[in-house]
Amino acid sequence: DLLRELLGQDELRDLIDAEALDTLEADVQGLSERARARGADGLHDLLRRLGDLTQSEVADRLVEPGRAAELLDALRDERRATEIRLAGEQRWIAAEDAGRYRDGLGVMPASGLPDAFLEAVPDALRSLVARYARTHGPFVPHQLAQRFDITPEGALAELKALETGGTIVHGELRPGGSGREWCDAEILRRLRRASLAA
């Protein structure tokens, strides 16, 4: 009930603890000590949870950062991960996401992937945007648009569709921020609980 009351307000900045936000963001991004991946299986799970990552972003999320290239190569050889080019960068995705990135962002997947990973994905871009929101704290559409190399208008349209479905909310959320940000509803709940605890 309290959360429902709060979500109706535009300005939640004063209710969010900045340190709790930093901790939560590190956790959902796989950057905290306890969230870092160990080995190839852990890295594969991380790619499935977070989506596209550059090799340096992968290294930041590993218990042993120096093994990033080795583990990515192992996953590619096992056809569990593949490289894509997105927003002018080489990034890695889980092989299961190849169809989603192709249909949502026009990214051509590498050859040799199983057909099951290349089937058509309905609402592919919306599912990528929803995952982005689940793995970030409050953000502005420009950040999302830049990450996926789409127009800010396109990003905003997807966010509004998700808001209509109740999975994303927006308001003045980030401490010290200006303007309105978007946030996954569950992330906001966790953030509110962490802020109350703090």
Side-chain angles (χ1 to χ4, degrees), residues 63-139:
V63 172
E64 300 174 86
R67 295 187 64 204
E70 168 200 341
L71 294 176
L72 287 167
D73 287 344
L75 288 176
R76 180 178 53 207
D77 293 346
E78 295 169 9
R79 294 184 183 175
R80 294 169 68 196
T82 186
E83 263 187 297
I84 60 169
R85 185 142 188 90
L86 180 59
E89 294 181 313
Q90 290 299 120
R91 298 189 193 163
W92 289 85
I93 60 170
E96 295 90 332
D97 278 336
R100 181 171 284 113
Y101 278 83
R102 179 201 60 215
D103 295 350
L105 299 171
V107 173
M108 291 312 297
S111 59
L113 290 176
D115 289 343
F117 297 156
L118 300 173
E119 291 178 3
V121 179
D123 294 323
L125 180 56
R126 190 158 303 156
S127 70
L128 291 171
V129 170
R131 177 166 59 190
Y132 180 93
R134 284 192 308 271
T135 57
H136 290 79
F139 62 92

Side-chain angles (χ1 to χ4, degrees), residues 18-31:
E19 194 171 314
L21 174 57
D22 291 343
T23 301
L24 178 64
E25 284 184 316
D27 210 31
V28 297
Q29 271 291 303
L31 294 166

